[in-house]
Amino acid sequence: MVEKWEENYFLLGPYFEKKASSEFESITDLDDSPAGRIVRRMREMGYAVYYGYWLVTGKPRVILFDLDSVTKDLDGIKYNLWERNRIPTINVEHLVNQTLCFGEMVRIFLKEYAEENAKREEIFAQFHEWMASSGLPDLKKDNAKIAITFTTHATMLGRYLAQNVDGFYSKLPFFDWEQEARNYNIVAQASIERQAALNAHVLTTVSDVTARECEVFLGRMPDLVTPNGLNVVRFQAVHEFQNLHLKYKERIHEFVLGHFFPSYSFDLDKTLYFFTSGRYEYSNKGYDLTLEALARLNWKMVQAGMDMTVVMFIVTKQPYYSVNPDVLQSRAVLNELQETCTAIEKEVGEKLFLATASGADHKMPDLNNFVDEYWRLRLRRTIQSWKTEKLPAFVTHDLKEEDGITEFCRKANLVNNERDRVKIVYHPDFISSTNPLFGLDYGQFVRGCHLGVFPSYYEPWGYTPLECVVRGVPTVTSDLSGFGDYIMQIMRDYENRGIYVINRKSQTYSQAADQLADILFKFVKMQRRDRIMQRNRVENISDVFDWMNLRSYYDTAHDLAAKRKKP
Ligand code: UDP
Ligand code: G6P
């Protein structure tokens, strides 16, 4: 966007001091630009407004509003929203109040900006999500000279209903938005979303999947779909990505060694790492289907007498007390073991060298003589505390309560028994580099894995599979996710390239689980050479999702908004 609009591109957002201190660089000469002058005017009106650069790629100009400086007007803002737009916002939660303050600041800024500048330039405003858009309807009603595009990245009601109503998609055309919004106590949010959608010159959303929801819940079919992309250069490791896979896989090996080997061992060279990740929406994210398919995969692998092992990581966020002490303990013992072995190796090496260099009798020295008592004892003790009778934990943390994932694993007896070929590591926290178990950040962890598994039931877009693709990791998605739906539209041989799309639209749950289990089984049977080639093919797709290419959808939306705005 900065490339196209240069210094005429501004991002508007809320001001948070802590974030700003590391990501924001202030511009002090306000007269330098029309936007700067409006910032000054708003300050004169009594609002706290910050103007500067956001220190991300492209260094766009940002205008940040301190929401506290408008809180005093909140009652008036709410009165107005009801009077003019029939948006009820009494007794809403704090977060919604904050969005109303933000929406009002955005409205004032754009109104002032347009009054001063609309004569000499075309002004476009791109709103993302209801949280930014409570001021949008008034801008339209007050006839501000701005071409307005509203993009919704999901619908509030869709998220709630998909999670709670069986057969959501077949019932979709028949929902009454207002009644459902009351049911889930989200009337304010749903009303803002709806009014923003109805009043914008152009409505867009991120996928055809969500477009259908817009029609029902927002009362308007989107004018076009603006699919999500990434700044692909940030991910690209060009010729390095295969090496990075190996490097980070070895780090995952370390964790697996520490976690499983005290109970029993398996061949790490014949071990594959699968993972799924995202927020904890058990059925929306398809965790249920993934687990069901894994249970079936395990059965298939055991029946076939395979010597491969699959370790499945489930990475999400659930309330927990702390990391499971046993899991931490085995990690610590592993480190101790490693240290002891390295010390012995060094000692033996040095003494062996001396003995052979100085030895006159040309006899092979006995290596045992080179390890002194201290290290022998230390090694013996470490080995003793290493072995355990317990099964490796399938949850890495002490959860505050059981959830769908733990319930399923217990019920299906998928609890890391030795004979099982599919092992589970449920990590109920997002992964970051300070994580004591992996010591990897999320991106590195993804690179170290072999396959991402995301057969979502409700997923307006879904970045997780796309983030696999750009890192050269094959991935499973579903035709109910925006990403899966899009890839099916633009590419014929996606499966051959390492993107597997589960048919959740027309298959039953059990059929979909079978399809997924078959895909996983086939994947397990692949040779290393094939996996390497498949990683190349999937990484090759990346450019399709670069914003350099996908920006054009937004350009089209903005042009259309400008045309519609004309009297
Ligand atoms: N994610 C992360 N750390 C983790 C797991 C996930 O940062 O340990 C990020 C992931 O990179 C992705 C986001 O969480 O960008 C999830 O986005 P997605 O579009 O898949 O789902 P949504 O949150 O929109 O439902
Ligand atoms: C990368 C490396 C290869 C390594 C392979 C392991 O491609 O460049 O040297 O053999 O990863 O692949 P695998 O699918 O078995 O983890």
Side-chain angles (χ1 to χ4, degrees), residues 241-246 249 269 271-272 448-450 527-528 531-532 535:
F241 79 93
Q242 294 277 2
N243 299 346
L244 291 179
H245 162 71
L246 188 62
K249 185 178 80 164
D269 208 40
T271 299
L272 295 178
C449 287
H450 292 94
Q527 299 298 312
R528 168 162 295 139
R531 289 199 299 269
I532 293 175
R535 283 198 292 272

Side-chain angles (χ1 to χ4, degrees), residues 47 178 276 352 445 476:
Y47 302 114
E178 214 167 354
T276 189
L352 174 64
F445 171 78
V476 177

Side-chain angles (χ1 to χ4, degrees), residues 74 78 81 89 96-104 134 192:
L74 193 57
K78 291 186 171 198
L81 280 172
T89 53
V96 178
N97 279 337
Q98 282 188 301
T99 68
L100 301 181
C101 293
F102 177 57
E104 176 67 359
S134 62
I192 296 170

Side-chain angles (χ1 to χ4, degrees), residues 153 159 228 230 276-279 281 285 315-316 427 429-432 442-443 445-446 454 458-465 467 471:
H153 292 249
R159 225 175 245 294
N228 278 333
L230 286 168
T276 189
S277 68
R279 49 177 133 187
E281 289 181 8
K285 291 288 179 192
V315 179
T316 180
H427 188 276
D429 194 7
F430 275 13
I431 293 179
S432 68
Y442 178 70
F445 171 78
V446 171
F454 311 100
Y458 180 82
E459 190 79 86
W461 177 256
Y463 263 111
T464 41
E467 290 165 349
R471 292 184 172 107

